[in-house]
Amino acid sequence: MFDCDVLVVGGGIIGLSTAYALSRAAPGTRVTVLEKEPGPARHQTGRNSGVIHSGIYYRPGSLKARYAVRGAAEMVKFCAEYGLPHEVTGKLIVATDRAELPRLHALVQRGRENGIPVRELGPAQISAYEPHIGGIAAIHVGTTGICDYGAVAERLAEASGAEVRYGARVTAVDRRPWGVAVRTADGAVVRARALVNCAGLHCDAVARLAGDEPGMRIVPFRGEYYELARPELVRGLVYPVPDPAFPFLGVHLTRGVDGGVHVGPNAVPALAREGYGRLVVRPGELAGTLAWPGTWAIARRHWRYGAGEVRRSLSKAAFTEAVRRLLPEVRPEDLRAAPAGVRAQAVLRDGTLVDDFLIREAPRTVHVLNAPSPAATASLPIGREVARRALAHLDG
């Protein structure tokens, strides 16, 4: 009667990590993954900066803090075990203005509460790590690293032993007391005892297909990147001091596993769930975003911040100005446009930006409703938690 025991919707790193965790927690469990794209990791997983985050930013005790700290160590071990490109580089978080010092000191405290090794640096010590970076104080976080999350996702798919169906977009979900039946765009029907929704940018839509009101909507934010034409200016990873009012870390400098240095991202509203270009507009998706009351609440609350992000999106000179706070030598001609990403940010009805991973359950179903950065870093622990919940539904 069943085609599989657990059906996972979404072939990004969270869905594939869940499949991998299921194969280890319950060998013999039949797992199918449905992914609408022709291959894995085509959206958030494959379009980020490749950073293995330490977990320093996140509230002690939160899922983000617990899973990022644990996940960073596990991700390094996973990459080493499977021969995937990675490096533990450490990173600097740099204050360029005295007004940022209290926030920098608060990060030191938060890092220590989360069990992360943190060193405080003065200007001379900053120069020893990064000769071209300007700053009045910094902290060095030793456990930050880099990897290729697209390669990680491919390896998870192989190692899970799951049946992964590409080009399988979900169009209908019929949930019954015995399980679920899911129809894909080509008319195929897959029957399973439990459903796991890891659809990322479309997770709220899949939840509603299943008959569940998730109480949030995904509001997509495009993050635009540049590549540094003079990569010798940056040795490793350099971040500004983040503003705790926002879930975005600000424009930072990241030397990737390929040796290139990415600069960015900013965070501007996208006009489509997969709006990687400024001119990509999907009227139905945009209308859905605008119909959600939380969208307007964000706009009212953060319009000044948003206006600055849009300015940096439209003006390379303004973007360069933001980068110069960290890297004074950079010139507009040093920045070459690179592929953008889109962050799937869950927003509540009152405009609250959900700041932790959000996993909810319904009969025979587990929904992963908020898994932006550092979800790639934390993907192995998240996958185990989602798998644990899915297996509990099989016993029910």
Side-chain angles (χ1 to χ4, degrees), residues 186-223:
D186 62 1
V189 175
V190 185
R191 294 173 179 82
R193 295 166 64 200
L195 173 72
V196 172
N197 169 15
C198 296
L201 287 158
H202 304 278
C203 64
D204 54 341
V206 171
R208 294 167 82 190
L209 280 179
D212 298 321
E213 172 46 62
M216 44 63 73
R217 292 292 182 274
I218 292 297
V219 175
F221 287 88
R222 186 173 64 257

Side-chain angles (χ1 to χ4, degrees), residues 3-4 6-10 32-35 165 168-176 178-197 206 209-210 364-365:
D3 301 295
C4 60
V6 180
L7 179 62
V8 178
V9 178
T32 297
V33 180
L34 301 181
E35 167 53 51
R165 298 188 190 180
R169 181 171 61 86
V170 170
T171 57
V173 178
D174 184 13
R175 189 166 53 198
R176 301 292 179 88
W178 47 260
V180 293
V182 173
R183 182 180 293 109
T184 58
D186 62 1
V189 175
V190 185
R191 294 173 179 82
R193 295 166 64 200
L195 173 72
V196 172
N197 169 15
V206 171
L209 280 179
R364 298 282 178 182
T365 309

Side-chain angles (χ1 to χ4, degrees), residues 303-326:
W303 67 269
R304 197 181 301 275
Y305 178 91
E309 293 292 285
V310 170
R311 177 172 168 264
R312 284 184 283 276
S313 171
L314 298 176
S315 166
K316 189 177 184 182
F319 194 100
T320 307
E321 183 186 319
V323 179
R324 275 201 187 116
R325 293 187 61 207
L326 291 173

